[in-house]
Amino acid sequence: MKELKQILTNGFFVLVIYLVIITAVIAVNEMNNVSADTPAASNNELVVPADSSAVGRDITQQRFAPLEANQ
């Protein structure tokens, strides 16, 4: 009886693992592919900000406003 219980328990865990793997494979296959070098605009046009001087700025020196929790 103990062996049957172990067989059923192990079988259940194997089925759960297979279901997780199959679900992950299906989820990855159904995701929309987005290329990193294409613009995010739906009509595939490059979106230029109104302030054209911001295009070539160095964002490594950019500072952010403090959060309310840090004040």
Side-chain angles (χ1 to χ4, degrees):
M1 188 67 178
K2 186 177 179 181
E3 292 176 9
L4 177 64
K5 193 173 184 181
Q6 283 182 334
I7 291 172
L8 291 176
T9 304
N10 292 340
F12 174 74
F13 285 126
V14 168
L15 285 175
V16 168
I17 290 171
Y18 282 143
L19 286 175
V20 167
I21 292 172
I22 290 172
T23 305
V25 168
I26 291 172
V28 167
N29 284 336
E30 293 297 323
M31 292 170 65
N32 293 333
N33 292 332
V34 177
S35 181
D37 59 348
T38 58
S42 61
N43 58 1
N44 290 335
E45 293 180 6
L46 181 61
V47 178
V48 178
D51 182 16
S52 61
S53 65
V55 174
R57 68 181 176 163
D58 182 17
I59 63 169
T60 61
Q61 302 300 320
Q62 184 175 355
R63 294 185 181 182
F64 296 97
L67 298 176
E68 292 179 13
N70 293 338
Q71 292 181 356

